[in-house]
Every structure is written in structure tokens, then in C-alpha cells.
Amino acid sequence: MGYAVGVDLGGTKTAAGLVAADGSVLLRREAPTPAAEGPEAVLATVIGLAAEVIAAAPSAHASDAPLIGVGIGAAGVVDPRTRTVLSATDTLPGWAGTRIGAEAESALGLPVAVDNDVRAHALGEARYGAGRGRSTVLLIAAGTGVGGALIVGGVPLVGASSAAGHFGHMPAVEAQGLPCTCGRQGHVETIAAGPAIHAAYLRRGGQEPVADARAVFALAETGDPLALSVVEIAGRALGRAIGGLLNALDPDVVVVGGGLSQTSELWWGPLRDGVAAEAIDLVRDRAVVPAALGTAAALAGAGALAFDAALASSTSPSSSSPSSASSPDSDPVPSSPIGARA
């Protein structure tokens, strides 16, 4: 089927890679995301990295298979149908309204598919990683924030407002009264995300120079009672949220990714306890597993967006799909051989 360029655009770092049809990432380029410089600079970084991958692609393999397109997983609430950012946090000032797909397609001369970065991450794990072979995969991403996505039949659930997957903004009893970045109170992200763990440690009497959640976990590993308690509460709160999602969605498997998933049993144990406490009997034993692909998941998933768009275009050229490059804001662009430049 050829190759795709996958791009993972985050608030602090942007990566691009050459993705094969089996999800393997053959080469990779990275750069800091110039968020403070505005959306034009951010988009220029995306386009520049993708162009670097396109130029380097011929040396990555011996095949003459074509480069079929570009897939971009971008931070913010993204409408994959129009390939436009609907809203974004202050992490990317001015990012809302950016027409990622149309701009990147014009610059690169290849079809471009766009979706939210967490949904791209989930698609990568569902298709090539810990959820491979399962029909319905729930991904929970726990790190700087808490989010996720539901993949059904190999397709990310987008939602009527393109906002599906904001699992960090579900209520949590452990977070009552705590302000959330969304302007509400008591959401699971305010107790279970990495910065929330650090904040809870300080709020409960912990002292600097414990600078971040990583330092709190290090203290917990030494047996520090306060650090252990904070980590346990965070893990259990997220587990209870996952249990509630199991009750509501009944996926085949739950995949947990993000920075916190790479911590120890001090966090995983309470998380599993929280799942067991909340989940009803029919789903209580459902597998909850760590993500398998690490940082490659988002690139592989972004590549999958491009593969899916190319397949949809080839099988039904006159119709558009949620991830198709034949979006309302652009015309289809033919595939180019690897190494071609716009």
C-alpha cells in the first residue's frame, strides 16, 4: 500500500515519521513546538518536519512504493471532517481556527488527514499495539492531563462536537472542590494527572524541592507515607473512572498510556483496585493493560489516518469520510512517489 508520513503535534514537542503499512516507524524527526510564536510558526514546524521526512524517505528503505499521504495528530479539539482546530487551551495560544489540513496539503502537495493527537495515539495502539486484534479498544492517556479515545471497529469515536475522549473531565469524588483547567471543579484530571499529583503532595504538607510528580513517585518508592498516599489516591481515582467507563462502554480491552503508565505497581495496584471497586460484575475482569508502543503510537496512528483516507478515496472517490483528504476545504491531491517534493 506504500508509506505515509505521520505527525504528532503536541504542546511542547512535534515529531514526524515515515510510517509503513504495518505501523512501523522507519525514520523520525523532532523539533520543539514554538507555541509562544503563534499558530503560523507551529504549522510551519509541522510542515517543515513532514518535508524533512519526505526528503529522507528514499534512504529509509529499498522499495519504490508510493508515499500515499500525510496524517497529523494535533493537540486541541480537532474536527477531522474539516481538518480544522475548533478549540485549544492556552498551551497553544491562537491555535483555535487553524485550518491544518488545507494549509499542510497546499504546502506538501500530498493528501493530508487530521485528527486529535490522543485519538491518533489510540488508533496506533488499537491497530498495531496493545489493542491489536480487538474490535473495541478504550485508551486512557494519563500524564500531564487525562484523556483518551474509544476505537470501534478500527475507527476513532469523534462525537457530534469532535470532543469525544475528554475523560479527564468526568467527576471524581476524590477531587471534590478542586478547580479544573476547564473552569469547573472536581474532575478526575485535578487529582489523577501528573501535575495534580505534585499539587496534592504540596497541598497536604509536602515540601520543596520536590519539583514534580516524578519526584513524588521517587519518594513513594522510598516508603515516604505522604507520597505513597498521594500516589495511591491518584491511581485509585483514575481506576474508578475507568471502571465507570467500562460499565458505560463495555470495550474489549482498556489500554493505559501516557507518562504515568510507565510508573510502578505503587500506582498500577491502586488503579486496578479502583477499577474493581467501580466496575459491575459483567465487566469487572476486563483486561486493563499498559500501552505497548510508547511514543511511536501517535506517529503510527497518524500514519493510519493517512492510510485510511487513501483507502476511502480509492474505494469511493466521490464521497468523503471523517478522515479523508477529500474534505470540504480542499480538493483531492494524487499520491506522489517517495521523495517527491511539493
Side-chain angles (χ1 to χ4, degrees), residues 182-255:
C182 70
R184 280 71 176 175
Q185 291 186 348
H187 289 173
V188 67
E189 186 171 285
T190 68
I191 196 70
I197 291 172
H198 179 233
Y201 177 80
L202 298 178
R203 187 170 60 248
R204 294 178 58 187
Q207 301 296 316
E208 299 288 5
V210 177
D212 53 23
R214 185 178 291 106
V216 176
F217 273 93
L219 276 177
E221 293 289 349
T222 70
D224 179 86
L226 177 56
L228 280 169
S229 175
V230 168
V231 168
E232 180 180 354
I233 290 170
R236 181 177 289 272
L238 185 58
R240 286 170 58 88
I242 292 171
L245 289 168
L246 277 171
N247 297 341
L249 302 174
D250 192 18
D252 293 318
V253 64
V254 179
V255 178

Coordinates of all heavy atoms in Angstrom, one line a residue, residues 182-255:
C182 N -10.7 23.3 33.0 CA -11.8 23.7 32.1 C -12.7 24.7 32.7 O -13.7 25.1 32.1 CB -12.6 22.4 31.8 SG -13.5 21.7 33.2
G183 N -12.5 25.1 34.0 CA -13.3 26.1 34.6 C -14.3 25.5 35.6 O -14.9 26.2 36.3
R184 N -14.4 24.2 35.6 CA -15.3 23.5 36.6 C -14.5 23.0 37.8 O -13.4 23.4 37.9 CB -16.0 22.3 35.9 CG -17.3 22.7 35.0 CD -16.8 23.4 33.8 NE -18.0 23.7 32.9 CZ -17.9 24.4 31.8 NH1 -16.7 24.9 31.4 NH2 -18.9 24.7 31.1
Q185 N -15.1 22.2 38.6 CA -14.5 21.7 39.8 C -14.7 20.2 39.9 O -15.7 19.6 39.4 CB -15.0 22.3 41.0 CG -14.6 23.8 41.2 CD -15.1 24.3 42.6 OE1 -15.8 23.7 43.3 NE2 -14.6 25.5 42.9
G186 N -13.8 19.5 40.5 CA -14.0 18.1 40.9 C -13.8 17.1 39.8 O -14.3 16.0 40.0
H187 N -13.1 17.4 38.8 CA -12.9 16.4 37.7 C -11.7 15.6 38.0 O -10.7 15.9 38.7 CB -12.7 17.2 36.4 CG -13.9 17.8 35.9 ND1 -14.0 18.6 34.8 CD2 -15.2 17.7 36.3 CE1 -15.2 19.0 34.6 NE2 -16.0 18.5 35.5
V188 N -11.7 14.4 37.4 CA -10.6 13.4 37.7 C -9.2 13.9 37.4 O -8.3 13.5 38.0 CB -10.9 12.0 37.0 CG1 -10.8 12.2 35.4 CG2 -10.0 10.9 37.5
E189 N -9.1 14.7 36.3 CA -7.8 15.3 36.0 C -7.2 16.1 37.1 O -5.9 16.1 37.2 CB -7.9 16.1 34.7 CG -6.6 16.6 34.2 CD -6.8 17.3 32.8 OE1 -7.0 16.5 31.8 OE2 -6.7 18.5 32.7
T190 N -8.0 16.7 38.0 CA -7.5 17.5 39.0 C -6.9 16.7 40.2 O -6.3 17.3 41.1 CB -8.6 18.5 39.6 OG1 -9.6 17.7 40.3 CG2 -9.2 19.2 38.5
I191 N -7.1 15.4 40.2 CA -6.5 14.6 41.2 C -5.6 13.5 40.7 O -4.7 13.0 41.4 CB -7.6 13.9 42.1 CG1 -7.1 13.4 43.4 CG2 -8.4 12.8 41.3 CD1 -6.6 14.4 44.4
A192 N -5.8 13.1 39.4 CA -5.1 12.0 38.8 C -4.0 12.3 37.8 O -3.1 11.4 37.5 CB -6.1 11.0 38.2
A193 N -3.9 13.5 37.3 CA -2.9 13.8 36.3 C -1.5 14.1 37.0 O -1.5 14.3 38.3 CB -3.3 15.0 35.5
G194 N -0.4 14.1 36.3 CA 0.9 14.3 36.9 C 1.0 15.5 37.7 O 1.4 15.5 38.8
P195 N 0.7 16.7 37.1 CA 0.8 17.9 37.9 C -0.1 17.9 39.1 O 0.2 18.5 40.1 CB 0.3 19.0 36.9 CG 0.7 18.4 35.6 CD 0.4 17.0 35.7
A196 N -1.3 17.2 39.0 CA -2.2 17.2 40.1 C -1.6 16.3 41.3 O -1.8 16.6 42.5 CB -3.5 16.5 39.7
I197 N -0.8 15.3 41.0 CA -0.2 14.5 42.0 C 0.8 15.4 42.7 O 0.9 15.4 44.0 CB 0.5 13.3 41.3 CG1 -0.6 12.3 40.9 CG2 1.5 12.6 42.3 CD1 0.0 11.2 40.0
H198 N 1.6 16.2 42.0 CA 2.6 17.1 42.6 C 1.8 18.1 43.5 O 2.2 18.4 44.6 CB 3.4 17.8 41.6 CG 4.4 18.7 42.1 ND1 4.5 20.0 41.7 CD2 5.4 18.6 43.1 CE1 5.5 20.7 42.3 NE2 6.0 19.8 43.2
A199 N 0.8 18.7 42.9 CA 0.0 19.7 43.7 C -0.6 19.1 45.0 O -0.6 19.8 46.0 CB -1.1 20.3 42.8
A200 N -1.1 17.9 44.9 CA -1.7 17.2 46.1 C -0.6 17.0 47.2 O -0.9 17.2 48.4 CB -2.3 15.9 45.7
Y201 N 0.6 16.6 46.7 CA 1.7 16.4 47.7 C 2.0 17.7 48.4 O 2.1 17.7 49.7 CB 2.9 15.9 47.0 CG 4.1 15.7 47.8 CD1 4.2 14.6 48.6 CD2 5.1 16.7 47.9 CE1 5.4 14.4 49.4 CE2 6.2 16.5 48.7 CZ 6.3 15.4 49.5 OH 7.4 15.2 50.3
L202 N 2.1 18.8 47.7 CA 2.4 20.1 48.4 C 1.2 20.6 49.2 O 1.4 21.1 50.3 CB 2.7 21.2 47.3 CG 4.0 20.9 46.5 CD1 4.1 22.0 45.4 CD2 5.2 20.8 47.3
R203 N 0.0 20.4 48.7 CA -1.2 20.8 49.4 C -1.4 20.1 50.8 O -1.9 20.7 51.7 CB -2.4 20.5 48.5 CG -3.8 21.1 49.1 CD -4.9 21.0 48.0 NE -5.1 19.6 47.6 CZ -4.8 19.2 46.4 NH1 -4.3 20.0 45.4 NH2 -5.1 17.9 46.0
R204 N -0.9 18.9 50.8 CA -1.0 18.1 52.0 C 0.2 18.2 53.0 O 0.3 17.4 53.9 CB -1.3 16.6 51.7 CG -2.7 16.5 51.0 CD -2.9 15.0 50.6 NE -2.9 14.2 51.8 CZ -2.9 12.8 51.7 NH1 -3.0 12.2 50.5 NH2 -2.9 12.1 52.8
G205 N 1.1 19.2 52.7 CA 2.2 19.4 53.6 C 3.5 19.0 53.1 O 4.5 19.2 53.9
G206 N 3.6 18.5 51.9 CA 4.9 18.2 51.4 C 5.7 19.4 51.1 O 5.2 20.5 50.9
Q207 N 7.0 19.3 51.1 CA 7.9 20.4 51.0 C 8.7 20.4 49.7 O 9.1 19.3 49.2 CB 8.8 20.5 52.2 CG 8.1 20.7 53.5 CD 7.3 22.0 53.6 OE1 7.8 23.0 53.3 NE2 6.1 21.9 54.1
E208 N 9.0 21.5 49.1 CA 10.0 21.6 48.1 C 11.4 21.2 48.7 O 11.5 21.3 49.9 CB 10.1 23.0 47.5 CG 8.8 23.5 46.9 CD 8.4 22.8 45.6 OE1 9.2 21.9 45.2 OE2 7.5 23.2 45.0
P209 N 12.4 20.7 47.9 CA 12.5 20.8 46.5 C 11.9 19.6 45.7 O 12.4 19.2 44.7 CB 14.0 20.8 46.3 CG 14.5 19.9 47.4 CD 13.6 20.1 48.6
V210 N 10.8 19.0 46.2 CA 10.0 18.1 45.4 C 9.4 18.8 44.2 O 8.3 19.4 44.4 CB 9.0 17.3 46.2 CG1 8.2 16.3 45.4 CG2 9.7 16.6 47.4
A211 N 9.9 18.8 43.1 CA 9.6 19.7 42.0 C 8.5 19.2 41.1 O 7.9 20.1 40.4 CB 10.9 20.0 41.2
D212 N 8.2 17.9 41.0 CA 7.2 17.5 40.1 C 6.7 16.1 40.5 O 7.1 15.5 41.5 CB 7.8 17.4 38.7 CG 9.1 16.7 38.5 OD1 9.3 15.8 39.4 OD2 9.9 16.9 37.6
A213 N 5.8 15.5 39.7 CA 5.3 14.2 40.0 C 6.3 13.1 40.0 O 6.3 12.2 40.8 CB 4.2 13.9 39.0
R214 N 7.3 13.3 39.2 CA 8.4 12.3 39.1 C 9.1 12.2 40.5 O 9.4 11.1 41.0 CB 9.4 12.6 38.0 CG 10.5 11.6 37.8 CD 11.4 11.9 36.7 NE 10.7 11.9 35.4 CZ 10.3 12.9 34.7 NH1 10.6 14.1 35.1 NH2 9.8 12.8 33.5
A215 N 9.3 13.3 41.1 CA 9.9 13.4 42.4 C 9.0 12.8 43.5 O 9.5 12.1 44.4 CB 10.3 14.8 42.7
V216 N 7.7 13.0 43.3 CA 6.8 12.4 44.3 C 6.8 10.9 44.2 O 6.9 10.2 45.2 CB 5.4 12.9 44.1 CG1 4.4 12.2 45.0 CG2 5.3 14.4 44.3
F217 N 6.9 10.4 43.0 CA 7.0 8.9 42.8 C 8.3 8.4 43.4 O 8.3 7.3 44.0 CB 6.8 8.5 41.3 CG 5.4 8.4 40.9 CD1 4.7 9.4 40.3 CD2 4.8 7.1 41.0 CE1 3.4 9.3 39.9 CE2 3.5 7.0 40.6 CZ 2.8 8.0 40.0
A218 N 9.4 9.1 43.2 CA 10.7 8.7 43.7 C 10.6 8.6 45.2 O 11.1 7.6 45.9 CB 11.8 9.6 43.3
L219 N 9.9 9.5 45.9 CA 9.8 9.5 47.3 C 8.9 8.3 47.7 O 9.1 7.6 48.7 CB 9.1 10.8 47.8 CG 10.1 12.0 48.1 CD1 9.3 13.2 48.5 CD2 11.1 11.6 49.2
A220 N 7.8 8.1 47.0 CA 7.0 7.0 47.3 C 7.7 5.6 47.2 O 7.5 4.7 48.1 CB 5.8 6.9 46.3
E221 N 8.6 5.5 46.3 CA 9.4 4.3 46.2 C 10.3 4.1 47.4 O 10.7 2.9 47.8 CB 10.3 4.3 45.0 CG 9.5 4.3 43.6 CD 8.9 2.9 43.4 OE1 9.3 1.9 44.1 OE2 8.1 2.8 42.4
T222 N 10.6 5.1 48.1 CA 11.4 5.0 49.4 C 10.6 4.7 50.6 O 11.1 4.5 51.7 CB 12.2 6.3 49.7 OG1 11.3 7.4 50.0 CG2 13.0 6.7 48.4
G223 N 9.2 4.7 50.4 CA 8.3 4.5 51.5 C 7.8 5.7 52.2 O 7.1 5.6 53.3
D224 N 8.0 6.9 51.7 CA 7.5 8.1 52.3 C 6.0 8.0 52.4 O 5.3 7.9 51.3 CB 7.9 9.3 51.4 CG 7.4 10.6 51.9 OD1 8.1 11.2 52.8 OD2 6.3 11.0 51.5
P225 N 5.4 8.1 53.6 CA 4.0 7.9 53.7 C 3.1 8.9 53.0 O 2.1 8.5 52.4 CB 3.8 8.1 55.2 CG 5.1 7.8 55.8 CD 6.1 8.3 54.8
L226 N 3.5 10.2 53.0 CA 2.7 11.2 52.3 C 2.7 10.9 50.8 O 1.6 11.0 50.1 CB 3.2 12.6 52.6 CG 2.5 13.7 51.8 CD1 1.0 13.7 52.1 CD2 3.1 15.1 52.3
A227 N 3.9 10.7 50.2 CA 4.0 10.4 48.8 C 3.2 9.2 48.4 O 2.5 9.1 47.4 CB 5.4 10.3 48.4
L228 N 3.3 8.1 49.2 CA 2.6 6.9 48.9 C 1.1 7.2 48.9 O 0.3 6.7 48.0 CB 2.9 5.9 50.0 CG 4.2 5.1 49.8 CD1 4.5 4.3 51.1 CD2 4.1 4.1 48.6
S229 N 0.6 8.0 49.9 CA -0.8 8.2 49.9 C -1.3 9.0 48.7 O -2.4 8.7 48.1 CB -1.1 9.0 51.2 OG -2.5 9.4 51.3
V230 N -0.5 10.0 48.3 CA -0.9 10.8 47.1 C -1.0 10.0 45.9 O -1.9 10.1 45.1 CB 0.1 12.0 47.0 CG1 -0.1 12.7 45.6 CG2 -0.1 13.0 48.1
V231 N 0.0 9.1 45.7 CA 0.1 8.3 44.5 C -1.1 7.3 44.5 O -1.7 7.0 43.5 CB 1.4 7.5 44.5 CG1 1.4 6.4 43.4 CG2 2.6 8.5 44.2
E232 N -1.4 6.7 45.7 CA -2.5 5.8 45.8 C -3.8 6.4 45.5 O -4.6 5.8 44.8 CB -2.5 5.2 47.2 CG -3.6 4.2 47.4 CD -3.7 3.6 48.8 OE1 -2.7 3.9 49.6 OE2 -4.6 2.8 49.1
I233 N -4.1 7.6 46.0 CA -5.3 8.3 45.8 C -5.5 8.6 44.3 O -6.6 8.4 43.7 CB -5.4 9.6 46.6 CG1 -5.6 9.2 48.1 CG2 -6.6 10.4 46.1 CD1 -5.5 10.4 49.0
A234 N -4.4 9.0 43.6 CA -4.4 9.3 42.2 C -4.7 8.1 41.4 O -5.6 8.1 40.5 CB -3.1 10.0 41.8
G235 N -4.0 7.0 41.7 CA -4.3 5.8 40.9 C -5.7 5.2 41.1 O -6.3 4.8 40.2
R236 N -6.2 5.3 42.4 CA -7.5 4.8 42.6 C -8.6 5.6 42.0 O -9.5 5.1 41.4 CB -7.8 4.7 44.1 CG -9.1 4.1 44.5 CD -9.3 4.0 46.0 NE -8.4 3.0 46.5 CZ -8.9 1.7 46.6 NH1 -10.1 1.3 46.2 NH2 -8.0 0.8 47.1
A237 N -8.4 6.9 42.0 CA -9.4 7.8 41.3 C -9.4 7.6 39.8 O -10.5 7.5 39.3 CB -9.0 9.3 41.6
L238 N -8.3 7.4 39.2 CA -8.3 7.1 37.8 C -8.9 5.7 37.5 O -9.7 5.5 36.6 CB -6.9 7.2 37.2 CG -6.8 7.0 35.7 CD1 -7.7 8.0 34.9 CD2 -5.4 7.0 35.2
G239 N -8.6 4.7 38.4 CA -9.2 3.4 38.3 C -10.7 3.4 38.4 O -11.4 2.7 37.6
R240 N -11.2 4.2 39.3 CA -12.7 4.3 39.4 C -13.3 4.9 38.2 O -14.4 4.5 37.7 CB -13.0 5.2 40.7 CG -12.8 4.5 42.0 CD -12.9 5.4 43.2 NE -14.2 6.1 43.2 CZ -15.3 5.6 43.8 NH1 -15.2 4.4 44.4 NH2 -16.5 6.2 43.8
A241 N -12.6 5.9 37.6 CA -13.1 6.5 36.3 C -13.1 5.4 35.2 O -14.1 5.3 34.5 CB -12.3 7.7 36.0
I242 N -12.1 4.7 35.2 CA -12.0 3.6 34.1 C -13.1 2.6 34.4 O -13.8 2.1 33.4 CB -10.6 2.9 34.2 CG1 -9.6 3.9 33.7 CG2 -10.6 1.7 33.3 CD1 -8.1 3.4 33.8
G243 N -13.4 2.2 35.6 CA -14.4 1.3 35.9 C -15.8 1.8 35.5 O -16.6 1.1 34.9
G244 N -16.0 3.1 35.7 CA -17.3 3.7 35.2 C -17.4 3.6 33.7 O -18.4 3.4 33.1
L245 N -16.2 3.9 33.0 CA -16.2 3.8 31.5 C -16.5 2.4 31.1 O -17.1 2.1 30.0 CB -14.9 4.4 31.0 CG -14.8 5.9 31.1 CD1 -13.3 6.3 30.8 CD2 -15.7 6.6 30.2
L246 N -15.9 1.4 31.8 CA -16.2 0.0 31.4 C -17.7 -0.3 31.5 O -18.2 -1.0 30.7 CB -15.4 -0.9 32.4 CG -14.0 -1.2 32.1 CD1 -13.3 -2.0 33.2 CD2 -13.9 -2.0 30.8
N247 N -18.3 0.2 32.6 CA -19.8 0.0 32.7 C -20.5 0.6 31.6 O -21.5 0.0 31.1 CB -20.2 0.6 34.0 CG -19.6 0.0 35.3 OD1 -19.1 -1.1 35.2 ND2 -19.7 0.7 36.4
A248 N -20.1 1.8 31.1 CA -20.9 2.5 30.1 C -20.6 2.0 28.7 O -21.5 2.0 27.8 CB -20.6 4.0 30.2
L249 N -19.3 1.6 28.4 CA -18.9 1.4 27.0 C -18.6 -0.1 26.7 O -18.7 -0.5 25.6 CB -17.6 2.2 26.8 CG -17.8 3.7 26.9 CD1 -16.4 4.4 26.8 CD2 -18.8 4.3 26.0
D250 N -18.3 -0.9 27.7 CA -18.0 -2.3 27.6 C -17.0 -2.6 26.4 O -17.3 -3.4 25.5 CB -19.4 -3.0 27.3 CG -19.2 -4.6 27.4 OD1 -18.3 -5.0 28.0 OD2 -20.1 -5.2 26.8
P251 N -15.8 -2.0 26.5 CA -14.8 -2.3 25.4 C -14.2 -3.7 25.6 O -14.3 -4.3 26.7 CB -13.8 -1.2 25.6 CG -13.9 -1.0 27.1 CD -15.3 -1.1 27.5
D252 N -13.6 -4.2 24.6 CA -12.9 -5.5 24.7 C -11.6 -5.4 25.6 O -11.3 -6.4 26.2 CB -12.4 -5.9 23.3 CG -13.6 -6.3 22.4 OD1 -14.5 -6.9 22.8 OD2 -13.5 -5.9 21.2
V253 N -11.0 -4.2 25.6 CA -9.8 -4.1 26.4 C -9.6 -2.6 26.7 O -10.1 -1.7 25.9 CB -8.5 -4.6 25.6 CG1 -8.3 -3.8 24.3 CG2 -7.3 -4.6 26.5
V254 N -9.0 -2.3 27.8 CA -8.6 -0.9 28.2 C -7.1 -0.8 28.1 O -6.4 -1.6 28.8 CB -9.1 -0.6 29.6 CG1 -8.6 0.9 29.9 CG2 -10.6 -0.7 29.7
V255 N -6.6 0.1 27.3 CA -5.1 0.3 27.2 C -4.8 1.6 27.9 O -5.4 2.7 27.6 CB -4.7 0.4 25.7 CG1 -3.2 0.7 25.6 CG2 -5.1 -0.9 25.0

